[in-house]
Amino acid sequence: MLALGCDHGGYQLMKDVMKYLDENNIPYENLGTYSEEAVDYPVYGKKVAHAVAAGTHDQGIIICGTGIGISLAANKVKGIRAALCGDVFSAKATREHNNANILAMGARVVGVGLALEIVKAFLETPFSNGQRHINRVNQIED
Ligand code: RB5
């Protein structure tokens, strides 16, 4: 189950992401925000991060205007590897190499077409499980 979170800057793009997930029968829980009323992105970044860190959700998708603030907030939570992606190559690579557990995007940075390709790449790419990557990911937590 995916956990979703965004601020007002990411709200419209998150609606497109949810439509994509619905069409592809990918289960998710939307942890807010639920309108374009201004909110604080750390609240939603951390909500998703805590859900993933606690194991109630496998992965997360978070969106703010740039993707920067909400990913910074999510990455403060132990066990979280939130990757800000603005291209498909990075989305695939961060799953293969970093075992990223949250995808962050900037709604003011990427268009909807690219964003959905990024989501698809992130969700469909497994961690490589290569020993060197496991070692490096473990060092992130040190
Ligand atoms: C909100 O205006 C904006 O600051 C936020 O969405 C995000 O871009 C922060 O990093």
Side-chain angles (χ1 to χ4, degrees), residues 7-10 38-39 41-42 63-72 106-108:
D7 74 351
H8 52 291
V39 292
Y41 57 79
I63 307 175
C64 68
T66 59
I68 297 171
I70 203 161
S71 59
L72 291 174
R108 297 171 188 157

Side-chain angles (χ1 to χ4, degrees), residues 59-141:
Q59 292 181 323
I61 299 176
I62 52 179
I63 307 175
C64 68
T66 59
I68 297 171
I70 203 161
S71 59
L72 291 174
N75 276 316
K76 300 298 282 187
V77 176
K78 189 169 171 52
I80 290 306
R81 294 176 300 282
L84 173 56
C85 296
D87 64 274
V88 172
F89 176 84
S90 298
K92 193 165 178 285
T94 198
R95 287 290 309 124
E96 286 174 345
H97 291 205
N98 315 126
N99 200 11
N101 47 17
I102 294 181
L103 168 65
M105 296 187 293
R108 297 171 188 157
V109 181
V110 294
V112 60
L114 175 57
L116 298 183
E117 288 298 319
I118 290 170
V119 167
K120 180 175 163 58
F122 186 88
L123 296 181
E124 293 183 358
T125 305
F127 180 47
S128 74
N129 266 307
Q131 193 55 53
R132 70 185 189 284
H133 295 307
I134 292 172
N135 293 345
R136 290 165 187 161
V137 168
N138 286 341
Q139 289 177 51
I140 296 173
E141 291 295 334

Side-chain angles (χ1 to χ4, degrees), residues 2-50:
L2 281 172
L4 308 183
C6 66
D7 74 351
H8 52 291
Y11 177 71
Q12 289 298 337
L13 180 58
M14 190 58 92
K15 287 206 293 191
D16 291 314
V17 169
M18 288 191 286
K19 184 165 177 277
Y20 171 85
L21 298 174
D22 288 337
E23 286 170 359
N24 290 280
N25 298 311
I26 298 169
Y28 62 85
E29 184 179 5
N30 180 11
L31 303 181
T33 189
Y34 304 108
S35 77
E36 285 185 288
E37 188 181 330
V39 292
D40 298 329
Y41 57 79
V43 171
Y44 298 93
K46 287 187 179 178
K47 266 191 188 192
V48 170
H50 284 300

